[in-house]
Every structure is written in C-alpha cells, then in structure tokens.
Amino acid sequence: MNSALKHPTNNSNIASISMSSVGDFNTGVGNDLNTDAYHQQQGLNGHQRSEDYGDKDDFGLYSVILPEEPFVFGVSHIKPRAVPNHIIRPLYARSNLLSGKDMHNDVEDADGKFPLGGDPERKLRSVASLTRDVREYAGSLVKVGVTTNTIDAAVHEYIISRGAYPSPLMYNGFPKSCCTSRPLEDGDIINIDVTVYLNGSHRDTSKTWLVGDVDKPGRLLCDITNHAPEAGIAACGPGKPFKNIGRAIHALIEPQYHDMEYCVSLAFSGHGIVNGEPGVMFPGHCFAIEPAIFQGTHSTSWTFPDGWTASVGNCARSVQAEHMVLITDDGAEVLTR
C-alpha cells in the first residue's frame, strides 16, 4: 500500500505468500531503537507527506508509510489467529495436532507439473477458484477508514470457513493471514495478496484497489501494473522459455507511460520471472506471475524493524498484480480471473 512491498521468500513451492506489512507491529513489548539514528540510516525523517521529500520526480500526493515509534523488533508480540484442528496445514505450520494420515504432500510431480485431465487438475482449479473468491471478498471490504487488521480477520474467517488454510499464517513465523496493513486513508492504493492452502497445494493471487480519490500518478501506476502480468501471460505456452515472461514485462514498462517512468523490483523473488530464468514451460506447469512495479527508476528497498514490512528506497509507491497460470497442451490458462 503506497510504498509497501512484500518480504522475499525462498520456498519454491509457495508463490509470494509473505505479506507487505503485519499491521500494528509497534504495539506490545519490544526493544526501542534510537529513532534519530534509524531515520538517518534510512534517509527518512518521521511520518511525512510525499511532497516533503523534494524528489525531482513527481510521484503524486500521498502519505508515506514509515515505522511507527517506539520501534519494536520482530513480530513475536502479535498473537496469530486460531485455525481449527481439522484443517490440513502446510508443512511449515504443522504440529502434533495432526496425525500422519493428514500429512498431505504437494500434488505436483518432481518436475513441478500437475497431471492434466484428472483429479489433480480438478483440485488445482478448485483451489485457484477459492483463492480468487477470497481476493474479491477482501476487495469488497476496502473503504476509507477501515483498518486492514479488520480485513485480515475477515479474510482469515472466510478461508477457514471453507476448510482451507491461509498460507501466510506462520510462514517463517509470520503472524497474519493475508497481505496488507494499517488503516486506509482517502487516496491510498492497497494491494491485497491472498494465498490459500487446500488439497495439498498453495494457490496465490493479488489485486490492487483504489481507496477514495486517488491522484493521477497513483492511478497510472495501478493501470500499468495491471497490464504487466497480462504481458507476461501472453508470453506463456508449452515449449516457451520462462525468461520470456520477464522480458515481456520489461518491454512494457521500459518506455514512459503517460510521461511517467517505472521499474520492476529486483530485490523480491516471486514478482515476475527474471530475464535469465532457465528452462521452458510444459503442460501441467502452474505458477504465479506477479510483477512489483515502482514509480520512477530506483528499484532499491529497505525493511522495517518488524523484519517483514519493506518500503521503496525513495518512498515512491509500488503496486503488485498477480494471477496463477496453468500451462495446457495448447496454450496457457489463467486460473484466478
């Protein structure tokens, strides 16, 4: 939301499930950081509006998200939401609550492909459809003044009521169930990233919503970001190189768009496949395409004291858009439209 990003993940079986911010990370007990030194290190000075930074680029008018004070390190003070015992967890969230017969493995084969035309494909499509429904439900809650902790709680209940597990919850200790944070203000742009675990696999999708009256640079950023995964999807198909996805996205954003410049985040895995990605697509491959687009040409970012929230280095805004793609025998199908 505004300048927030997601933390990178190295788990190849989970596509971008970690979340841009954990919400009220500054509540509870923790170690205070020397605020002047921290802001000096990060080149920041408190909670400000975007015009206070004096950047030569005109990124628009919006609230810049900075760590709240006093700083608290980590997220151990945040209590995770409860999940009923009967719901199957992924490996990283399992405990002695689950018996051996519940330990389902992911249904992909050793090469990461789903068998097409049978029960595995049916289950895959079912999970993708649920993930899409959760995303749209979350978006229906987006309004000025709504806290995103409220959205997280509603998304959590929606997922578990359908017998699924919210994938971000407890991934590397992460305490929330969907990807968003803080109260919403008029003029915000907010990305909600949803990942659901069901039938032995994770399915992932995200979308960005406009909150109230968003300025023109913010609307243009959302517009080109929505085009970016579509450019990547057009490069998909059996026998086509994975690297063509990243090339197609870069070709889209490299020229100026309505006199504005943009770049792709290079620091976060799972946000578009990079130009050098090896290999080719085969029928049964299923993956997410999620470019993270920054305003301007500076692709750096930094991480908040909570260890999860990240911001664009120069406090420009970023936006993500994501779809799941299944490679079929004769093309590519988007499962989360």
Side-chain angles (χ1 to χ4, degrees):
M1 158 169 50
N2 288 340
S3 58
L5 279 175
K6 291 187 290 186
H7 197 280
T9 171
N10 293 320
N11 188 325
S12 61
N13 291 323
I14 304 172
S16 306
I17 69 165
S18 48
M19 143 178 174
S20 55
S21 176
V22 296
D24 302 325
F25 65 83
N26 65 315
T27 60
V29 178
N31 297 318
D32 287 349
L33 179 68
N34 182 305
T35 58
D36 291 338
Y38 188 80
H39 283 147
Q40 184 177 15
Q41 175 189 354
Q42 304 300 344
L44 302 171
N45 185 23
H47 181 85
Q48 297 180 321
R49 297 286 286 179
S50 56
E51 71 268 24
D52 295 330
Y53 288 91
D55 197 293
K56 65 182 179 64
D57 297 308
D58 181 12
F59 294 145
L61 183 64
Y62 53 94
S63 293
V64 173
I65 302 172
L66 299 176
E68 295 187 36
E69 302 175 17
F71 298 131
V72 175
F73 290 88
V75 294
S76 61
H77 58 288
I78 300 176
K79 183 179 179 180
R81 304 188 195 280
V83 177
N85 292 349
H86 70 274
I87 290 178
I88 307 299
R89 276 93 163 147
L91 283 170
Y92 55 83
R94 289 172 180 170
S95 71
N96 57 9
L97 292 173
L98 298 173
S99 64
K101 65 182 176 62
D102 293 323
M103 301 301 183
H104 292 183
N105 294 319
D106 287 348
V107 296
E108 298 100 323
D109 64 18
D111 295 322
K113 299 191 296 291
F114 286 83
L116 298 179
D119 195 51
E121 182 183 352
R122 180 191 63 78
K123 290 181 176 180
L124 169 66
R125 291 177 179 275
S126 175
V127 181
S129 178
L130 173 59
T131 307
R132 177 200 61 215
D133 293 345
V134 176
R135 181 196 67 207
E136 294 305 306
Y137 169 69
S140 73
L141 305 175
V142 171
K143 295 179 178 62
V144 174
V146 172
T147 69
T148 52
N149 191 49
T150 299
I151 295 176
D152 180 81
V155 166
H156 180 90
E157 292 301 320
Y158 190 101
I159 292 172
I160 65 174
S161 71
R162 285 149 179 82
Y165 183 87
S167 296
L169 186 64
M170 303 314 298
Y171 177 73
N172 283 345
F174 189 77
K176 296 285 187 174
S177 295
C178 76
C179 304
T180 186
S181 69
R182 89 166 178 80
L184 299 179
E185 300 176 2
D186 184 50
D188 273 343
I189 53 178
I190 175 172
N191 176 268
I192 300 179
D193 196 332
V194 171
T195 313
V196 171
Y197 181 78
L198 185 65
N199 296 332
S201 68
H202 300 272
R203 296 302 111 198
D204 193 16
T205 183
S206 79
K207 185 175 178 179
T208 298
W209 280 267
L210 306 179
V211 184
D213 184 18
V214 176
D215 64 354
K216 183 178 179 181
R219 286 184 277 112
L220 287 174
L221 173 62
C222 291
D223 190 41
I224 194 169
T225 303
N226 287 331
H227 289 315
E230 299 300 329
I233 291 165
C236 292
K240 294 185 177 181
F242 281 109
K243 63 185 178 182
N244 285 2
I245 299 173
R247 288 175 175 172
I249 292 169
H250 276 279
L252 173 72
I253 69 166
E254 215 167 21
Q256 287 193 352
Y257 182 71
H258 293 268
D259 299 320
M260 302 289 290
E261 290 184 310
Y262 303 94
C263 65
V264 175
S265 168
L266 301 180
F268 291 82
S269 62
H271 291 272
I273 298 174
V274 297
N275 285 340
E277 184 76 14
V280 298
M281 303 169 223
F282 290 101
H285 274 144
C286 186
F287 50 87
I289 298 177
E290 184 182 20
I293 308 300
F294 292 1
Q295 291 179 308
T297 58
H298 303 288
S299 61
T300 59
S301 57
W302 58 279
T303 304
F304 284 20
D306 64 6
W308 288 95
T309 309
S311 175
V312 180
N314 61 354
C315 292
R317 286 175 285 189
S318 72
V319 168
Q320 294 99 252
E322 177 181 26
H323 277 302
M324 298 299 306
V325 177
L326 174 65
I327 304 302
T328 64
D329 289 327
D330 56 1
E333 184 175 350
V334 180
L335 302 182
T336 49
R337 288 213 196 276

